[in-house]
Amino acid sequence: MRILVVDDDPRIRETLAGPLGAAGYDVTAVGDGAAALAAVERGRPDLIILDVAMPGMDGFAVCRELRAYEELSGLPRTPVIFLTVRDDFASEETGFQSGADDYVAKPFSIPALLARVRLRLPNSPVRVIDDYLRLDLTRRDVAVRRDGVWQPVRLQPLEYALLERLYLNAGIWISRSDLLEQVFDRDDEDTKAVEKYIHFLRQKLEPDPKAPIYIQSMRSVGYRFKPLDRAG
């Protein structure tokens, strides 16, 4: 599970990164609202811990931008936990109106915050996309349902890395050149490798590889994993 910590105080970022990392989470920490939105665009986290009082774009504005982006793109809500020194009712009400899922006042207890994180994250890393496709990012397992039975799909490392990159950014178009750099660690202009592995994935995952529904493409734009259900 990936957690994004946003706080302009480096001491808070360090205080949170250690316990969260020790708890098994993949932590990214940034210091302002613009960097937070850029991090979300690069790869959507599973949860965001967001400071309210930051210079420039405050946490309320960041959360509103995030919710508007998710609504426009048809993406599921990313859980947001606000951290703030403001413990008055009006500020808390503003936080929830901005789209927050939880509100924690500073100073805070690390064990209590970790408990809130666990509460807001999905209980299982297994995500049933629908009645045909299932992903387990922790065990790196992929399965499709054929004839009423879940059947494992064996993927090559690059196939899995490509699927993971698309899935973690479900609903977001990613260009061929970006996929080439992010997955294949290449910065040249020959994107035939991306197209080849997209073809491999479709052959293994799609009910009909000639009419793909999961790994979608748009000419001159790139590829995306289909937008996830809001309830998923």
Side-chain angles (χ1 to χ4, degrees):
M1 293 288 185
R2 302 191 304 169
I3 294 179
L4 175 63
V5 174
V6 187
D7 199 298
D8 63 318
D9 187 341
R11 294 170 299 177
I12 297 293
R13 298 199 298 271
E14 293 173 4
T15 297
L16 291 175
L20 288 168
Y25 300 113
D26 182 6
V27 181
T28 299
V30 298
D32 59 65
L37 293 174
V40 170
E41 187 174 353
R42 288 194 300 271
R44 297 178 61 242
D46 297 293
L47 181 141
I48 300 174
I49 299 175
L50 179 59
D51 185 33
V52 171
M54 295 185 293
M57 181 183 292
D58 67 13
F60 295 149
V62 172
C63 196
R64 286 193 293 267
E65 287 264 347
L66 173 67
R67 296 302 183 222
Y69 173 69
E70 290 170 342
E71 181 70 24
L72 183 64
S73 304
L75 299 172
R77 284 171 61 99
T78 303
V80 173
I81 299 176
F82 272 133
L83 289 181
T84 180
V85 293
R86 306 175 189 173
D87 59 355
D88 58 284
F89 174 78
S91 179
E92 185 173 341
E93 184 178 30
T94 301
F96 286 115
Q97 289 175 346
S98 300
D101 298 279
D102 210 339
Y103 199 90
V104 177
K106 299 177 182 178
F108 52 86
S109 158
I110 291 292
L113 181 61
L114 288 174
R116 289 173 182 259
V117 167
R118 288 193 294 269
L119 178 66
R120 296 298 170 184
L121 283 170
N123 292 326
S124 170
V126 177
R127 174 64 63 87
V128 178
I129 305 303
D130 50 31
D131 60 2
Y132 178 81
L133 180 62
R134 184 181 70 193
L135 304 180
D136 182 337
L137 297 184
T138 299
R139 298 182 179 180
R140 301 173 71 88
D141 287 340
V142 181
V144 295
R145 193 176 182 89
R146 295 191 175 102
D147 299 323
V149 178
W150 287 109
Q151 301 179 6
V153 176
R154 299 187 66 178
L155 298 179
Q156 301 175 33
L158 277 175
E159 291 173 342
Y160 181 85
L162 182 56
L163 175 63
E164 183 180 52
R165 174 61 59 179
L166 292 168
Y167 170 75
L168 290 175
N169 294 278
I172 300 174
W173 294 103
I174 308 179
S175 70
R176 290 168 175 80
S177 58
D178 283 346
L179 287 172
L180 187 69
E181 180 178 355
Q182 296 167 7
V183 176
F184 297 84
D185 196 26
R186 288 169 44 188
D187 58 3
D188 55 84
E189 297 181 359
D190 186 359
T191 59
K192 290 181 180 178
V194 175
E195 296 163 8
K196 180 174 74 173
Y197 277 87
I198 288 288
H199 172 76
F200 291 160
L201 278 177
R202 285 173 168 169
Q203 292 295 318
K204 293 182 177 182
L205 299 182
E206 298 283 355
D208 181 0
K210 294 182 179 179
I213 58 175
Y214 298 107
I215 301 175
Q216 304 171 348
S217 60
M218 182 181 295
R219 186 181 297 275
S220 301
V221 176
Y223 299 99
R224 72 174 183 180
F225 195 92
K226 76 165 193 170
L228 300 179
D229 229 345
R230 287 183 180 278

